[in-house]
Amino acid sequence: MAGVVDVPKPRINCSMLLQHISRPVCFVGRVEKVHPTGKTFTVSDGEGKIATVELNEPLEEELSGIVEVIGIVSTKGVIMASMYNMLREDKGILFDLDLYNEALKVIHDFPQHYPFQVASSG
Amino acid sequence: MTKLSEGAIEALSNGTGGNDAVLQCVNIRKIDGGNGPARFRVMMSDGRHTLSSFMLSTQLNIMAEENRLAPNCICVLKKHVTNMLKDGRRIVIILEIDVIKPAEDVAGKIGEPTPYTEGQTKAPQSAPVPESRPPLQPQNRNEVNRGFNRDFGKKAPSAVPNTPGGTSKVVPIASLNPYQSKWTIRARVTNKSTIRTWSNSRGDGKLFSMEVVDESGEIRVTGFNQEVDKFYTLIEVGKVYYISKCSLKIANKQYTSVKNDYEMTFSGESTVIPCDDSCDVPMVQCDFVSISDLENRDKDAIIDVIGVCKSVEEVTRITTKSNREVTKRTLSLMDMSGKVVTVTLWGEEAEKFDGSGQPIVAIKGAKLSDFGGRSLSASFNSTLMINPDIPEAYKLRGWYDKEGHAMDGQSLTELKGGSGGGNTNWKALSDVKTEHLGHGDKADYYTCIATIVYLRKENCLYQACPSQDCNKKVVDQQNGMYRCEKCDKEFPNFKYRLILSANIADYGDNQWVTCFQESAEAILGQNAAYLGQLKDSNETAFDEIFQQANFNTFVFRNRVKLETYNDESRIKATVMDVKPVDHKDYSKRLIMNIRKLAAQ
């Protein structure tokens, strides 16, 4: 899990989950349902598809709205989160998930113009 | 309940009626007398029939004026005479009448009387129209709901046109052609223009035009000179008329959205007669185009459109190129496609428009323009309808109340983003050089997103004339007074104004620009007076402001022009407007450009 922090984490949506198994990713989506135990919750991406996120420790706060999750994709397509970041809806400009999804598609359609891998240096 | 004298109407109409008939008053209508006293036309019922051709003799006018003779009251016709009209109809003049039961004491209409007909029909129930020739009417409908069409536009023509014994056949509008001259149509006026006059070398004239519609279609009608006088005041929008004997010709599609290959002109022989039974005639024929589809239409096309008025601006006055002053107002229209378009109204329509409560607005014959992408304008030929009584309007209202009101809608009119007026064309700073912007006769305007990389704080402030609209630099007289040459006055004070020289840059190039008061204050985040004060008192704080302002990114709308100073030509760029970056808009534009590039 420690390896997640220093490594470039591609931004993905649900349709790209399976291409990133066992790799660290960054997933931005809207919180759908939180499991009563607080250890897992579902998120929907800009296309409306749902992914599951699992946490190490149960949630200590109310999770709602748009959230950015960083973690590794399990073999079953579940995001094993090492950290998450809630984008507050009461502050700043409202996050446009559809627009984010469009941008994601552009980044993945033209990887030659978005060389994120070069970012990590250690 | 008082019994009415059934059969009395028939008798009176035939001239065989006696006196003392007990009748119920169904309706009274006042007819303005013009030079003489007013006359009251009354419709009476005997429980079996109604007859509207009763006239109250003038000495009894007071009964109607004091509401003693009022709809629903029961009365006895004591004395009357009948007059025969040229066309064989009878008018019953009421000379003496007693009200035996006042209107308030009568619950309503007694029985189910039908209009008495004797080969020629009368107007049922609605306020009788004072014309001398009875309109040719179908006999199948007796209810009065005129103006309420159910199957808007697509109604199958019912057994309408032929009246037994009538002289003219009513034909559908769709069948009109230049090769047949004897025809009559029965149609509703959907649009009437104002009277326009012209004056050229061949003389003067005036004209007006209107559009009429029936079950089969629509057609445009124009009247010139004498016909304007004959028909203009007679014709009211929304009413139905029998029109005959106009001259047909091929339509000039440029000025109208009316779907008909022909259009017609009133001639000296044309007739226009009001028609009362109009429930079959549709209200208006519109071929609404969805707002999202407007992008696919050509500019200058004439379009019918309907939508919810999401927002409306204040009325403004502008001066046209011909130095005329006009009022205008813009509103934004959204429909179920989720797209929004800006509509401009002019003149009286603009002034009278009330957009409160997000009404449904429909425009027939609006002009599509490519201003700001796509926008619509109501011309003198367009018809503006607010909350029209048509199915499309109800559908829109239902959709808007449920979901539409929460939508932001994507506007076609500001597709290029940024300022609505002028040229909102997006450029990169490198484009300015490669496209030689500003090299022409006129200045060029462009919009760009750029970052401030340098601000010149020396000489950014000057002392200006304190007069309201004068910004001229004042001369320090060194005696505590400052002189303005333009106002030719001296003042004990001045106001600080900004002229800020800055260098802005984007990924491709950079540009020196000059920012005046408003844009400079926006960039620095302080007003000129405060800056002037700081400069004199606290140099550190003054510098700090410039440090903070550096490296900020904005949307700049610039004006660029080639200027020559003593044999040297240089491009001078001025910042007209500075706005914070709308990231959503910027992202959308970038994604659109990327996709466009990829497709090439």
Side-chain angles (χ1 to χ4, degrees):
Chain A
M1 282 301 183
V4 173
V5 182
D6 306 328
V7 159
K9 297 156 278 281
R11 291 179 173 276
I12 58 162
N13 59 19
C14 289
S15 44
M16 304 162 192
L17 271 173
L18 297 175
Q19 285 106 323
H20 290 79
I21 292 187
S22 305
R23 292 214 283 263
V25 295
C26 174
F27 188 100
V28 175
R30 186 178 298 280
V31 177
E32 292 295 326
K33 281 179 91 70
V34 181
H35 194 266
T37 59
K39 286 200 74 170
T40 176
F41 59 92
T42 53
V43 281
S44 62
D45 69 3
E47 287 172 350
K49 304 215 191 69
I50 314 273
T52 315
V53 178
E54 274 182 23
L55 300 164
N56 290 334
E57 281 105 27
L59 282 168
E60 283 168 30
E61 58 177 346
E62 255 320 304
L63 206 61
S64 69
I66 312 272
V67 68
E68 182 183 53
V69 178
I70 295 181
I72 300 190
V73 185
S74 77
T75 46
K76 301 223 193 72
V78 169
I79 304 169
M80 315 297 288
S82 52
M83 58 184 101
Y84 71 84
N85 189 9
M86 211 169 34
L87 302 184
R88 300 276 301 259
E89 297 196 315
D90 51 345
K91 294 205 166 105
I93 311 171
L94 224 51
F95 191 81
D96 186 336
L97 201 53
D98 286 325
L99 196 54
Y100 176 78
N101 194 65
E102 288 300 310
L104 265 195
K105 290 202 286 203
V106 169
I107 293 174
H108 285 269
D109 285 345
F110 307 104
Q112 67 273 37
H113 296 295
Y114 297 95
F116 293 123
Q117 284 64 33
V118 192
S120 74
S121 46
Chain B
M1 197 165 71
T2 318
K3 194 105 178 26
L4 300 176
S5 312
E6 290 195 2
I9 291 288
E10 195 172 7
L12 283 166
S13 206
N14 291 335
T16 56
N19 283 326
D20 294 331
V22 181
L23 302 168
Q24 182 180 32
C25 171
V26 178
N27 200 3
I28 296 194
R29 190 169 120 128
K30 184 170 178 175
I31 300 166
D32 195 314
N35 288 336
R39 297 306 302 266
F40 285 89
R41 182 163 172 173
V42 190
M43 182 191 280
M44 295 297 227
S45 149
D46 65 2
R48 194 190 290 166
H49 291 123
T50 60
L51 189 65
S52 66
S53 33
F54 284 85
M55 294 295 285
L56 203 60
S57 62
T58 47
Q59 62 257 36
L60 297 180
N61 274 5
I62 189 151
M63 283 182 81
E65 278 158 358
E66 288 183 353
N67 268 328
R68 274 184 282 148
L69 188 63
N72 281 341
C73 76
I74 315 280
C75 32
V76 178
L77 184 62
K78 301 239 73 170
K79 249 165 76 172
H80 72 278
V81 291
T82 52
N83 283 348
M84 190 73 143
L85 292 180
K86 273 186 288 214
D87 52 34
R89 257 195 334 158
R90 246 172 234 285
I91 297 281
V92 180
I93 312 282
I94 303 172
L95 298 171
E96 196 184 336
I97 190 164
D98 283 346
V99 178
I100 54 175
K101 209 163 183 185
E104 309 83 57
D105 291 354
V106 184
K109 197 160 53 144
I110 295 175
E112 302 270 36
T114 55
Y116 183 71
T117 55
E118 31 168 354
Q120 284 176 343
T121 55
K122 315 274 180 287
Q125 204 109 4
S126 55
V129 177
E131 77 256 23
S132 56
R133 191 161 97 78
L136 302 168
Q137 284 182 25
Q139 301 206 8
N140 52 356
R141 294 254 197 186
N142 287 320
E143 34 170 314
V144 188
N145 289 324
R146 60 189 195 109
F148 284 104
N149 65 304
R150 280 133 255 169
D151 297 320
F152 163 78
K154 298 279 193 261
K155 214 167 171 41
S158 45
V160 155
N162 285 327
T163 310
T167 46
S168 283
K169 219 164 99 85
V170 170
V171 300
I173 285 182
S175 73
L176 292 175
N177 62 73
Y179 312 110
Q180 246 181 309
S181 50
K182 288 205 178 66
W183 49 261
T184 304
I185 56 168
R186 186 180 75 141
R188 189 188 306 276
V189 178
T190 56
N191 185 9
K192 182 173 88 162
S193 77
T194 49
I195 300 179
R196 277 181 138 192
T197 55
W198 75 81
S199 179
N200 59 28
S201 50
R202 288 188 291 167
D204 304 333
K206 56 185 172 185
L207 74 96
F208 82 102
S209 67
M210 64 182 196
E211 286 159 22
V212 297
V213 68
D214 74 3
E215 304 88 337
S216 71
E218 44 177 6
I219 190 165
R220 189 176 150 87
V221 191
T222 309
F224 291 91
N225 303 320
Q226 280 166 328
E227 277 70 54
V228 174
D229 297 326
K230 257 209 273 187
F231 297 127
Y232 192 75
T233 39
L234 169 66
I235 291 174
E236 291 176 59
V237 176
K239 297 230 161 72
V240 180
Y241 300 89
Y242 287 102
I243 302 172
S244 71
K245 304 222 193 87
C246 305
S247 61
L248 273 289
K249 62 175 196 200
I250 306 279
N252 184 344
K253 292 279 172 76
Q254 221 191 346
Y255 296 120
T256 176
S257 68
V258 170
K259 274 153 215 52
N260 199 318
D261 293 330
Y262 300 113
E263 55 180 343
M264 55 195 200
T265 315
F266 284 124
S267 73
E269 288 175 6
S270 308
T271 62
V272 174
I273 296 153
C275 161
D276 282 322
D277 183 9
S278 53
C279 42
D280 285 341
V281 184
M283 286 289 266
V284 70
Q285 284 221 355
C286 280
D287 189 15
F288 292 121
V289 175
S290 148
I291 294 181
S292 56
D293 210 28
L294 290 177
E295 289 176 289
N296 303 332
R297 300 293 175 114
D298 294 326
K299 71 170 242 194
D300 294 337
I302 310 273
I303 301 273
D304 300 337
V305 71
I306 187 169
V308 180
C309 169
K310 247 179 98 74
S311 64
V312 63
E313 306 296 318
E314 294 289 311
V315 163
T316 56
R317 291 190 78 91
I318 59 168
T319 319
T320 66
K321 286 186 273 245
S322 39
N323 276 328
R324 264 189 318 136
E325 268 218 341
V326 281
T327 39
K328 72 176 238 210
R329 189 198 286 268
T330 56
L331 60 108
S332 61
L333 208 65
M334 175 157 101
D335 68 7
M336 295 195 268
S337 66
K339 294 282 167 73
V340 177
V341 70
T342 300
V343 180
T344 309
L345 304 176
W346 304 89
E348 214 182 290
E349 236 173 27
E351 286 163 24
K352 289 204 289 204
F353 184 77
D354 179 10
S356 55
Q358 272 121 5
I360 307 288
V361 172
I363 308 177
K364 183 172 165 59
K367 190 146 180 218
L368 185 64
S369 121
D370 62 356
F371 179 78
R374 276 290 179 269
S375 54
L376 289 166
S377 170
S379 69
F380 102 103
N381 268 327
S382 318
T383 314
L384 178 72
M385 294 168 268
I386 317 245
N387 287 322
D389 184 14
I390 53 183
E392 268 80 346
Y394 297 116
K395 264 198 266 175
L396 267 169
R397 180 95 264 152
W399 163 80
Y400 191 75
D401 290 340
K402 252 182 54 188
E403 356 166 345
H405 67 274
M407 288 173 79
D408 261 330
Q410 209 192 336
S411 178
L412 299 185
T413 311
E414 286 172 348
L415 209 47
K416 308 265 164 60
S419 42
N423 293 333
T424 51
N425 66 99
W426 289 96
K427 295 280 173 214
L429 290 177
S430 47
D431 295 336
V432 178
K433 304 227 171 74
T434 54
E435 291 176 20
H436 300 296
L437 292 180
H439 281 242
D441 300 320
K442 287 203 309 186
D444 283 321
Y445 292 83
Y446 66 89
T447 310
C448 68
I449 291 192
T451 308
I452 299 176
V453 291
Y454 183 79
L455 287 165
R456 184 172 289 144
K457 60 182 197 278
E458 297 78 33
N459 296 328
C460 64
L461 287 160
Y462 73 97
Q463 295 162 335
C465 174
S467 319
Q468 183 70 300
D469 289 311
C470 182
N471 292 330
K472 182 144 178 72
K473 182 165 169 177
V474 290
V475 182
D476 189 342
Q477 306 281 62
Q478 303 297 339
N479 57 0
M481 298 297 274
Y482 299 87
R483 181 174 170 75
C484 172
E485 297 294 345
K486 189 158 130 188
C487 299
D488 198 22
K489 269 170 52 168
E490 282 196 351
F491 302 93
N493 58 349
F494 57 82
K495 59 184 195 235
Y496 271 119
R497 283 190 69 86
L498 284 160
I499 300 191
L500 186 61
S501 195
N503 187 282
I504 60 175
D506 66 11
Y507 67 87
D509 207 338
N510 70 358
Q511 173 99 54
W512 282 98
V513 297
T514 310
C515 310
F516 291 101
Q517 187 82 342
E518 288 78 25
S519 31
E521 284 179 340
I523 288 174
L524 294 171
Q526 296 293 352
N527 64 37
Y530 181 62
L531 281 163
Q533 203 184 25
L534 271 188
K535 180 152 166 266
D536 296 333
S537 59
N538 187 345
E539 186 106 28
T540 326
F542 183 75
D543 288 345
E544 179 69 18
I545 291 182
F546 282 82
Q547 284 283 66
Q548 287 295 329
N550 209 8
F551 298 117
N552 286 323
T553 308
F554 295 98
V555 173
F556 290 92
R557 185 155 73 95
N558 294 345
R559 173 190 187 275
V560 69
K561 180 113 182 53
L562 189 67
E563 295 197 2
T564 317
Y565 283 129
N566 308 327
D567 301 336
E568 203 186 290
S569 296
R570 271 207 294 176
I571 291 284
K572 300 227 64 195
T574 320
V575 175
M576 308 298 293
D577 191 46
V578 171
K579 280 208 272 273
V581 177
D582 177 349
H583 293 280
K584 254 197 208 173
D585 187 59
Y586 187 30
S587 309
K588 283 191 191 135
R589 217 174 38 253
L590 283 172
I591 290 175
M592 187 172 76
N593 288 338
I594 289 173
R595 292 289 177 201
K596 259 202 236 161
L597 273 175
Q600 285 170 5

